[in-house]
Amino acid sequence: TRQSSIGLQNLDRTNGPKILYKCAKLMRTELNEYMDRYASTNDSDADVSNDEMENYTNLKRAFNKLVTMVSDIVVLNRNSLEYSRMFLQNNKWCYFMIDKGLPYHPDAVLQFVNDALERNYCVEHKMLTTLKQNLKKIIETETDTDADMESDDDFDDFVLTQSTNLLRYIEKNFNGETDTKKTEL
């Protein structure tokens, strides 16, 4: 659903984007710790309790919702720069969404990134380099998944198509050595 103007004004006025960024960063750190802990245990190990597994699941769900909410604010308020700029003008948010959000939840973050690039946000060299790397990983993963499972899932097709198109757009419109666009949309 589209966020109300009053709610978005309040979010902006109360430094909401900064608070949400701190929450997102903390959640991602916790998720990494959980993943590291689970990766170090074998399937036969009973070290992972049901409570820990439930905490991990809830944390993943909360992170997913937070990333989706930020992306929705940008995408759904595309024509209201006063609201979408809360996240697009903040290089921390741009890099976080590219580096941490995209690999974890590509279906929501791809639209955020697409809108950002179309407006010439999130175009620093480091961001573009990381974005291209993550898009290539997504394309490789989705291509391997399609080949292995012969899935006709629309979700997978969306992620693969959007990632491929975004990668082509970056390669066509951004010079790898500078932070400026070669051509305008």
Side-chain angles (χ1 to χ4, degrees), residues 13-175:
R13 190 174 51 249
T14 59
N15 291 322
K18 288 181 183 178
I19 294 167
L20 291 174
Y21 177 77
K22 288 179 182 179
C23 289
K25 196 171 171 186
L26 181 63
M27 280 192 250
R28 191 62 207 159
T29 300
E30 284 291 315
L31 282 170
N32 287 342
E33 289 175 11
Y34 271 112
M35 287 189 278
D36 289 344
R37 196 168 34 231
Y38 294 146
S40 66
T41 63
N42 295 332
D43 292 332
S44 61
D45 288 345
D47 292 343
V48 180
S49 71
N50 286 339
D51 286 343
E52 283 183 320
M53 202 55 178
E54 186 177 336
N55 289 342
Y56 174 71
T57 301
N58 289 335
L59 187 59
K60 273 184 12 182
R61 188 177 301 123
F63 182 76
N64 185 14
K65 288 183 182 214
L66 178 60
V67 169
T68 300
M69 180 187 69
V70 169
S71 186
D72 284 350
I73 289 171
V74 170
V75 173
L76 295 175
N77 294 286
R78 179 179 173 82
N79 296 326
S80 297
L81 191 57
E82 64 187 290
Y83 301 131
S84 60
R85 69 147 175 81
M86 290 188 290
F87 299 99
L88 291 177
Q89 287 181 340
N90 186 326
N91 283 337
K92 283 190 215 176
W93 264 115
C94 281
Y95 191 72
F96 182 85
M97 293 293 272
I98 289 168
D99 188 46
K100 306 295 185 201
L102 186 60
Y104 181 75
H105 193 41
D107 56 311
V109 179
L110 281 167
Q111 293 177 2
F112 173 97
V113 172
N114 186 59
D115 280 8
L117 292 178
E118 285 180 356
R119 294 177 176 171
N120 211 24
Y121 290 106
C122 302
V123 294
E124 291 181 3
H125 182 70
K126 180 180 178 183
M127 290 180 202
L128 290 174
T129 301
T130 302
L131 178 56
K132 288 187 334 187
Q133 290 170 349
N134 285 340
L135 289 171
K136 288 175 183 177
K137 286 178 190 173
I138 291 169
I139 291 167
E140 182 179 312
T141 301
E142 294 299 322
T143 304
D144 289 345
T145 301
D146 286 345
D148 292 341
M149 297 174 26
E150 303 221 5
S151 172
D152 290 332
D153 190 17
D154 289 339
F155 171 77
D156 292 337
D157 291 343
F158 165 78
V159 171
L160 179 59
T161 302
Q162 187 77 6
S163 298
T164 303
N165 290 342
L166 199 51
L167 186 59
R168 286 180 186 150
Y169 178 81
I170 293 166
E171 290 170 350
K172 178 181 176 189
N173 293 296
F174 293 93
N175 183 344

